[in-house]
Amino acid sequence: MPSKYLVVGNWKMHPATVDEAKVIAKKSRLIAGKLVRTEVVACPPFAFIPASVSRTQAENFSIGAQSVSGDEGGAHTGEVGAAMLKSLGVSYVIAGHSEQRAAGDTDEMISRRIGRALDAGLSVIACVGEKVREESGSHFAFIKEQIKNSLANVSEDKRSRIILAYEPVWAIGAQDAMAPEQIYEMSLFVKKAFADAFGPEAGLKVKVLYGGSVNFRNAADIIVRGKVDGLLVGRESVNMPGFSELLKAVDGIGTGQAQTA
Ligand code: 13P
């Protein structure tokens, strides 16, 4: 069987209360347990991570964090370290999200965050994506630079714990996702840029996710026609039953039960 699809839910600054977070995490975990071809990662806000982690081993379900400090420990007010997250039961971190880039994160800062996460044994969902698309195709060079610079300090032995998420900034929080044909082009490009930085074998192995206005209607179509390994989902990941429908649609790909738009 080919490797499983990966669906990552980025809850952003939602929901409002820990009780709501518990419900979303529990529902996501229960659905994940019934999936055959799909792995689910829920990324709650830091404050809700302990309430979202299950005490029992959950099938196809892991917890991720939305960020991580670029420092190991010490006098860094407000920061949360990679080892702390690991000790809570976190397995993944998101780094380089465009909302953090907009708040001041540079490729250099992202590279430090990624370095600390990998050192602590976590897997990293490294986000890249252009703000705008121009006729000239300048977004290709832009994304290639983001990949090269934000992964600058990733050593060969830790490369396999990097997952790339292509999220065109203009498609985040929008009405429509990018067209699957364009997603296909970009997923190939992102893999090629990774191969250029880390060698052809690494390029073949790296998983690429698409993010930006994914919902239960378009999810399976994006994976099938966009030829990505999974999805990074914002709004729909805290919207039940939308997220459970999305997971079922992805898991149904190739079985004749996939829901496409
Ligand atoms: P939406 O799915 O809400 O567009 O958000 C995408 C995103 O930024 C996920 O990281």
Side-chain angles (χ1 to χ4, degrees), residues 1 4-5 7 31-40 60 219-220 223 244-259:
M1 188 166 111
K4 291 184 177 180
Y5 300 120
V7 178
I31 297 152
K34 294 185 189 140
L35 304 177
V36 181
R37 294 165 203 85
T38 315
E39 291 269 349
V40 183
N60 304 322
I223 289 184
S244 67
E245 290 305 312
L246 184 156
L247 294 176
K248 284 184 216 156
V250 170
D251 209 52
I253 290 173
T255 64
Q257 285 164 32
Q259 291 181 25

Side-chain angles (χ1 to χ4, degrees), residues 2 33 64 73 80 82 91 93 95 145 147 162 167 194 208 215 225 228 242:
V80 178
S91 316
V93 296
E145 279 296 292
I147 291 177
I162 298 284
E167 293 204 300
F194 194 79
V208 176
N215 56 42
R225 293 204 293 135
V228 282

